Amino acid sequence: MDSVYQHVLAWRQALEEAGISLSVWRIHRRVGMSGGLFLNALLRETRNRVDPGEALRLQHLHEEAYARLAGQVRPLPGARELLAHLSGAGVPWAIATSGRLASAAPTLEALGVGPKTPVVTRDQVRHAKPDPDLFLAAAGRLGVPIDEAIVVGDSVWDLLAARRARALGVGLLSGGYGQDELERAGAYRVYEDPADLLRHLDEVGVRIADPKRVGRERRRARSGRRAEDAGAAPPK
Amino acid sequence: MDSVYQHVLAWRQALEEAGISLSVWRIHRRVGMSGGLFLNALLRETRNRVDPGEALRLQHLHEEAYARLAGQVRPLPGARELLAHLSGAGVPWAIATSGRLASAAPTLEALGVGPKTPVVTRDQVRHAKPDPDLFLAAAGRLGVPIDEAIVVGDSVWDLLAARRARALGVGLLSGGYGQDELERAGAYRVYEDPADLLRHLDEVGVRIADPKRVGRERRRARSGRRAEDAGAAPPK
């Protein structure tokens, strides 16, 4: 989703309401971290101190401010098409977000993500990004070894978490980071947005399985025989 | 001023109102260009075409949307202090902005810029950034050779315009670009914000003149004798 800048200004509004003045670019550079780490990092940098109660209040203020801006948020170009293409080709995929399930629901609907898709949210893991928990949990839900999985993200925190998880990280410019920042954080390749990634899927090692073969294997699996790992996309 | 992100979302709102859907990061990467070039570039990238009347309407929609967000805009940390320090030390400086004079007025007041400061706005030059006109005009107003001047900016367009003008460009991270992007556009050094630049003025070759000597020379200049070029800061 194209939601980074709305999150940035929502955090800015929340901090202002609490009397904390922070440059907007500093907030931008932290979005995508877990909310707790985010506040700790920002406030330490600016030598503000907040107690846990105040931190919770800031997170609520952010949620309220974001809800006011959420009507502006759109899927990124190619996001729905990329997911539909992977599904059609038998490549298993999941959604992993540092947001809470409640705030993720409208996003999932906008992306055309159905109820069968594994979705891992902040509620289900101990630590959010840049810890690897979200991506490890997502690979677990897919039944795919994490070191054969690809993590697509548009913040340096996504890519750092992907490295800690031992997955292959692929960066998108849609988060407003430069290509170099994403590469230094570990991106194997950087694309503009999901549409650009879809045009270059072969570069990241996504081997599109023969859809007929995938169908046969799925039927075989359902009928009790063991399916081959048809959809996993080992980056070789 | 810490206004980049508000400009980004204001452009986003203007484009949406005109039925044009663009990813926010693409808008971010164009802010600071002249409004005309900005629209041309964005719309060409997305294969939208607008006629001059529509372009003008988009600029008005942006102005209205920005006016609604302008209350959130603050000076960057250290901005007032940096300007006051330069003034106190006898280093001549000017403000050059791709905005119009009308929209620049609240900014100048917030920065404590008095009526004696040379201010060059979009109205006064033929082409805005990344053309060099704004910076050439500012150096002209200061009576300083452009190749002895330093241009401080926080977008790649500032730094490209500085190079075309043959000035020394210094980048700030406050525009939300990464250090590498600013350096590749020609930044000699990159600092976080004006406060960070103020702490490192010596690195960019600002030789702080002896304030007493500056005062003597100013008095001498006023009394008709020719002052030495006391405040210019040639980066040697």
Side-chain angles (χ1 to χ4, degrees), chain A residues 2 5-6 8-9 12-13 16 22-26 28-29 72 74 76-77 173-174 176-178 180-181 184 192-193, chain B residues 2 5-6 8-9 12-13 16 22-26 28-29 72 74 76-77 173-174 176-178 180-181 184 192-193:
Chain A
D2 193 6
Y5 292 81
Q6 284 83 4
V8 170
L9 285 192
R12 163 66 187 269
Q13 284 173 31
E16 284 264 318
L22 267 185
S23 299
V24 188
W25 70 275
R26 288 190 193 273
H28 181 190
R29 284 294 183 282
Q72 301 171 14
R74 305 276 175 273
L76 285 164
L173 295 177
S174 50
Y177 285 87
D180 180 80
E181 290 176 279
R184 275 194 281 175
E192 294 193 340
D193 51 24
Chain B
D2 193 4
Y5 292 81
Q6 285 83 6
V8 171
L9 285 193
R12 163 66 187 268
Q13 284 173 30
E16 284 262 320
L22 267 184
S23 299
V24 188
W25 70 276
R26 289 190 193 272
H28 182 191
R29 285 293 182 283
Q72 301 171 15
R74 306 274 176 273
L76 286 163
L173 294 177
S174 50
Y177 285 87
D180 179 81
E181 289 177 279
R184 275 193 280 173
E192 294 192 341
D193 52 23

